[in-house]
Amino acid sequence: MTISLPAGFRCHAANLGIKDQSLDFVVVAADVTCSAAGMFTQSHFAGPSVRVSRRNVASGRARAVVVTSKNANVATGPQGLADANEIVSTVAQRLGAEAGEVLIAQTGVIGRLLPMDRIRQGLSTFPVPLGGTDAEAVAKAIMTTDTVHKIASAGAGPCSVVGVAKGVGMIEPNMATMITLIFTDADVEPSVLDAMFRRVVDKTFNSVSVDTDTSTSDSAIVLASGAGGPVDAGTLEAALFDVALSLTKQVARDGEGATKLIEVHVDGARDDAQAKRVAKAIVNSPLVKTAVHGADPNWGRVAMAVGKCSDESDVDENRVTIRFGSQEVFPVQVDAAGLQRLSEYMRGTDVRIHVSLGIASGVSTVWGCDLSDGYVRINADYTT
């Protein structure tokens, strides 16, 4: 069944010929200016789209978001910034909005100028008013090397929340995620929306890593049209979390060359921040990732990843417990039969690693994927 955008939103997706014949352009607009929030990459090479959107979303209000894919428009100097501003201004003019009410995200290869002649042609012909409501078309239009489009939805009282995301490589967000767009018809004040979105992002998009590389273009945006009326804040935040968590797992599962989803849960930490640091050390370890890929029951690699967190001076191996699924592997001695069971478990498509530090009550869960030769091949040939 096709997932539609929440009430108060319309969209248009198309191919502008930025790289090939696949969808590479989408605009989603609200019927009226609405509440908005966004989080963006902290990269020192942040692209023009990030800089423009960070500026425009500061008011807490927006009318639309436009995405161009297949070219990140990053490290392109003053011309790249001018091009991003031109796209925003043109879309705003076509929609009858102010340029400051339009957000933008761009994704793809770094260091190449946009083919603005083709983009201008496409911008001059997209239909106004927008007629589409297909959220799956939005999800497909923002893809780059993704093998599947990523979409999720949840109810929030009388309202709905629908989100899309893209991203399979260059992923360890330091704010939010690759590109994710979330829409709801709930009526919520910008300050309230911003606060709940930041809490949700911290436990979802900021808790995923494919390859430890923070993108130059990470953008997470949420728009609330208000068309469905007010919703209890707790109910809305829970729906936002459910959608964001689903998208987070979809991104990790579709990591470049990935065959398995890895979930790392750390508890018993000094605080939640420490738990996340240790969990990220595990999920980012190439040795852990390759062991999971090969179903190699070498649980010592997890112990190594915990141990290398040298700044965590209160971590003591005598208090640490390590489990794969429900099977404890440390400090108990694992015999040959136990190693066989562990290998069988690791052959599955989902592998959960659970580490208890035995310090206090801090907890965090992060997600990632295995590391295969497919990842190397994809990225060795990415621009050639």
Side-chain angles (χ1 to χ4, degrees):
M1 182 177 68
T2 299
I3 298 177
S4 297
L5 292 168
F9 291 103
R10 302 228 171 236
C11 66
H12 173 71
N15 170 258
L16 304 187
I18 292 175
K19 181 180 179 182
D20 51 34
Q21 298 305 305
S22 61
L23 291 174
D24 56 21
F25 168 83
V26 66
V27 58
V28 181
D31 295 336
V32 297
T33 303
C34 61
S35 295
M39 297 180 70
F40 306 94
T41 185
Q42 298 300 305
S43 170
H44 295 303
F45 261 85
S49 65
V50 168
R51 286 178 273 160
V52 171
S53 289
R54 188 183 285 138
R55 176 193 70 204
N56 288 358
V57 83
S59 67
R61 309 288 292 177
R63 176 73 186 281
V65 57
V66 56
V67 181
T68 61
S69 63
K70 314 301 190 292
N71 183 321
N73 187 27
V74 168
T76 48
Q79 187 60 54
L81 181 59
D83 291 343
N85 276 315
E86 180 181 342
I87 292 170
V88 163
S89 296
T90 303
V91 169
Q93 183 178 31
R94 298 273 294 158
L95 294 174
E98 298 294 326
E101 295 178 320
V102 177
L103 310 180
I104 182 172
Q106 297 177 306
T107 179
V109 177
I110 291 171
R112 298 181 182 178
L113 288 169
L114 293 165
M116 287 302 294
D117 53 342
R118 281 172 260 168
I119 290 175
R120 290 187 186 104
Q121 175 63 29
L123 293 179
S124 69
T125 59
F126 77 78
V128 178
L130 303 180
T133 59
D134 183 2
E136 296 194 36
V138 178
K140 292 174 182 177
I142 66 176
M143 293 168 61
T144 51
T145 55
D146 305 63
T147 65
V148 293
H149 66 282
K150 301 166 181 66
I151 188 167
S153 63
C159 298
S160 66
V161 176
V162 175
V164 301
K166 66 79 52 184
V168 287
M170 198 184 289
I171 294 172
E172 183 174 17
N174 179 22
M175 43 45 74
T177 190
M178 314 53 67
I179 289 178
T180 186
L181 310 174
I182 298 181
F183 307 95
T184 179
D185 50 354
D187 185 5
V188 53
E189 287 297 312
S191 60
V192 176
L193 181 64
D194 181 74
M196 67 172 62
F197 192 51
R198 289 176 183 278
R199 289 191 293 268
V200 166
V201 164
D202 184 59
K203 292 184 179 297
T204 56
F205 300 132
N206 256 354
S207 296
V208 64
S209 179
V210 168
D211 49 21
T212 80
D213 287 332
T214 295
S215 171
T216 58
S217 305
D218 288 342
S219 301
I221 292 167
V222 59
L223 300 180
S225 72
V231 176
D232 172 74
T235 300
L236 178 58
E237 185 165 344
L240 285 170
F241 177 82
D242 287 346
V243 167
L245 180 59
S246 175
L247 293 173
T248 295
K249 291 183 178 181
Q250 289 178 57
V251 165
R253 193 180 295 280
D254 194 33
E256 287 174 338
T259 66
K260 301 176 184 182
L261 174 71
I262 302 175
E263 178 178 289
V264 179
H265 180 79
V266 174
D267 57 25
R270 179 175 67 252
D271 51 33
D272 293 353
Q274 182 188 50
K276 180 179 280 190
R277 288 192 296 271
V278 173
K280 281 287 191 75
I282 297 167
V283 83
N284 282 333
S285 165
L287 291 177
V288 172
K289 292 160 77 72
T290 49
V292 170
H293 177 70
D296 179 4
N298 189 352
W299 58 264
R301 292 181 174 182
V302 174
M304 173 279 300
V306 175
K308 75 178 181 179
C309 299
S310 55
D311 290 340
E312 312 300 336
S313 58
D314 49 354
V315 172
D316 180 351
E317 70 169 275
N318 295 310
R319 296 198 298 255
V320 173
T321 302
I322 301 173
R323 302 178 184 85
F324 279 67
S326 60
Q327 181 180 348
E328 183 176 327
V329 296
F330 178 84
V332 301
Q333 293 294 311
V334 184
D335 59 15
L339 291 175
Q340 180 60 37
R341 288 194 301 272
L342 178 56
S343 181
E344 290 171 0
Y345 171 74
M346 294 171 68
R347 291 191 184 99
T349 58
D350 294 61
V351 175
R352 188 173 195 264
I353 299 170
H354 177 190
V355 174
S356 297
L357 297 180
I359 301 170
S361 58
V363 61
S364 180
T365 303
V366 304
W367 296 270
C369 60
D370 58 333
L371 179 60
S372 71
D373 55 352
Y375 178 88
V376 176
R377 200 68 273 138
I378 289 168
N379 286 287
D381 302 333
Y382 186 63
T383 65
T384 56

